[in-house]
Amino acid sequence: MTDKISIGVVGAGAMGRGIVQLFAQAGHPVRCFDAQPGAAAKAVEFVLGMLQRNVEKGRLAANEYEHIRARLAVAEELAGLAGCQVVIEAIVEDLGAKRALFGQLESVLGESAVLATNTSSLIVSDIAAGCSRPGRVAGLHFFNPVPLMKVAEVIAAVRTSPETVRLLKSITEGAGHRAVVTADQPGFLVNHVGRGLYTEGLRVVEEQVASPADVDDILREGMGFRMGPFELLDLTGLDVSSRVMTSIYEQFQHEPRFRPSSLVAPRVAAGLFGRKSGEGWYRYEKGELVKPVPRGAPALPAGLKVWTEPEGPAASALRTLAANAGLMVVERAADADLVIIQPWGMDATTSALSLKLDPSKTVAVDPMTPFELRRTLMLTAATSSQVRDAAHALLTSDGVAVTVINDSAGFVAQRVMATIVNIAANIAQRGIASVADLEDSVKLGLGYPHGPLAWGDRIGGARILAILKAQQQATGDPRYRASPWLLRRVALGLSLTTPEVTR
Ligand SMILES: NC(=O)c1ccc[n+]([C@@H]2O[C@H](COP(=O)([O-])OP(=O)(O)OC[C@H]3O[C@@H](n4cnc5c(N)ncnc54)[C@H](O)[C@@H]3O)[C@@H](O)[C@H]2O)c1
């Protein structure tokens, strides 16, 4: 009963199976081939098993299951894909193997057939270059597990025709996934934006600002990320992630924003891959993550005099907290035993000195993370241990968790957010994708609560810029240089989602 185009899937592994399921469920006749004898049949069996479970749970009608089953076929040889209008390749991630396969497919398929690769890290144009009809070749990058991750990147290689992009977009959206179009650039869209969380998280740990578990807690609980960078690295496996980090850095011609951390190679060499090896940034017992025991809160000293910077967003909440804890709130910093500031961008030391405060009595609380959710307490290098403990005790006196970190321009959350927004702004600047595709791909592919440019707007573009400038000044590292996209929109008071006028 179908007028849907027929689809071939080559490679019946984790991704191939998901792709087979997605398109068969969407009403396409799907044929699956794998070089390993029996693998395609096993994949089809696996997909039918998944669908059978859906029937049992009442999510799929029994007659619909039968229709899908009738639409699924195993190709015993590559030639069995003859007549398919689109073939999606999900074989081993190896340029030589993919090129050889595409060459064979061209001789099997009709001239108008489209060939799509699910590669995550190769340059699609490199695969297409071995083909006689490169206009019909593109990337179609799904995420694991395919039926649940409702986004796919359609990668327009240099010679890909607009019709090929349109066809892939239409079958993907017809299957209920959001299809975002991206240029053939390293990491495409989702893995490109995703770099920020890892590179900056690793940099924070490298500089001894905070521990991996602290970084994860701050970002998960304070910012709404589903997982922190170190939890994610442990899940993916540091051996795998390390190769991705290096490949994206190499493909971007050593762009400092993507410079991998020197912390990684020794840990990979030592086998600290993460969950699969039982130890990574965390330890795992029987597959369960063993959380490090948080440092207990010190006791609150009586009679302490507290001053809070009046401009800080949590100034009044801090004063209430101090009063409720029985401490005295004073009007002049010079009269206080504990001085609390809330800088954007600047580190605690520079802020204390610029405000002419005593650095030994000064601590900083991150204004980025909502005060009621989680608090990050940053010290100057001169903060006394008594002041540190008093501030820690005060900040957790209403039961909210506190993370104590060392001095850093932009704390943890500000640094990571500024990095993510800046990378996204540069993707927009380079026209790798439209703003709408960029924003949606990140929400759907990475599960971030907002698109990165809209998130930058919520924080404030000017603040993002201030954080980047402060980091660049503090470290001299060009990785923090702001994208022209960000600079211009902040200067003009425009939303970071404002497209170029020519587009
Ligand atoms: N696993 C992921 O999370 C993920 C996500 C996005 C993209 N990808 C990409 O998708 C592709 C497949 O990944 P996977 O995780 O499904 O791999 P996998 O190892 O689970 O499956 C690969 C399958 O391809 C078959 N194969 C290998 N060479 C072949 C050939 N020349 N002809 C036919 N079949 C061949 C293998 O027998 C195997 O069944 C890779 O390019 C990978 O980079 C993977």
Side-chain angles (χ1 to χ4, degrees), residues 10-11 13-15 34-36 90-91 93 98 118 120 141-142 144:
V10 183
M15 296 305 288
D34 195 287
Q36 211 186 319
I91 68 165
E93 186 75 340
K98 289 193 197 273
N118 190 48
S120 330
H141 186 223
F142 287 97
N144 197 10

Side-chain angles (χ1 to χ4, degrees), residues 346-494:
M346 261 193 274
D347 64 12
T349 300
T350 313
S351 311
L353 295 175
S354 71
L355 294 167
K356 301 200 166 25
L357 301 170
D358 177 349
S360 69
K361 292 182 180 174
T362 303
V363 298
V365 173
D366 192 352
M368 172 80 97
T369 47
F371 194 68
E372 65 284 3
L373 285 185
R374 180 157 200 111
R375 296 164 194 165
T376 306
L377 172 64
M378 185 164 77
L379 313 171
T380 76
T383 305
S384 74
S385 52
Q386 293 90 328
V387 167
R388 174 198 66 201
D389 289 349
H392 186 175
L394 169 62
L395 285 169
T396 198
S397 60
D398 60 353
V400 173
V402 174
T403 306
V404 185
I405 66 168
N406 289 320
D407 208 359
S408 160
F411 298 77
V412 173
Q414 293 183 32
R415 285 178 62 163
V416 171
M417 287 314 306
T419 302
I420 292 170
V421 174
N422 196 34
I423 289 175
N426 221 37
I427 288 177
Q429 182 65 58
R430 296 171 60 131
I432 291 174
S434 71
V435 167
D437 280 3
L438 164 63
E439 296 287 277
D440 283 356
S441 70
V442 171
K443 282 187 280 184
L444 293 165
L446 297 173
Y448 292 2
H450 313 285
L453 297 177
W455 210 348
D457 278 344
R458 292 169 82 99
I459 295 163
R463 278 188 184 141
I464 296 288
L465 194 55
I467 298 162
L468 291 168
K469 284 186 171 163
Q471 262 300 104
Q472 198 178 2
Q473 199 176 14
T475 63
D477 192 331
R479 58 188 267 101
Y480 297 107
R481 72 199 191 285
S483 162
W485 181 279
L486 179 64
L487 285 165
R488 294 190 188 114
R489 278 153 189 76
V490 170
L492 293 167
L494 294 174

Side-chain angles (χ1 to χ4, degrees), residues 10-17 19 33-37 39-40 78 89-94 97-98 100-101 104 117-122 140-146 191:
V10 183
M15 296 305 288
R17 288 171 180 205
I19 297 167
F33 170 76
D34 195 287
Q36 211 186 319
L78 199 62
E89 164 277 308
I91 68 165
V92 58
E93 186 75 340
D94 176 86
K98 289 193 197 273
L101 172 69
Q104 291 163 14
T117 172
N118 190 48
T119 181
S120 330
S121 63
L122 300 171
L140 185 56
H141 186 223
F142 287 97
F143 298 86
N144 197 10
V146 177
N191 286 338

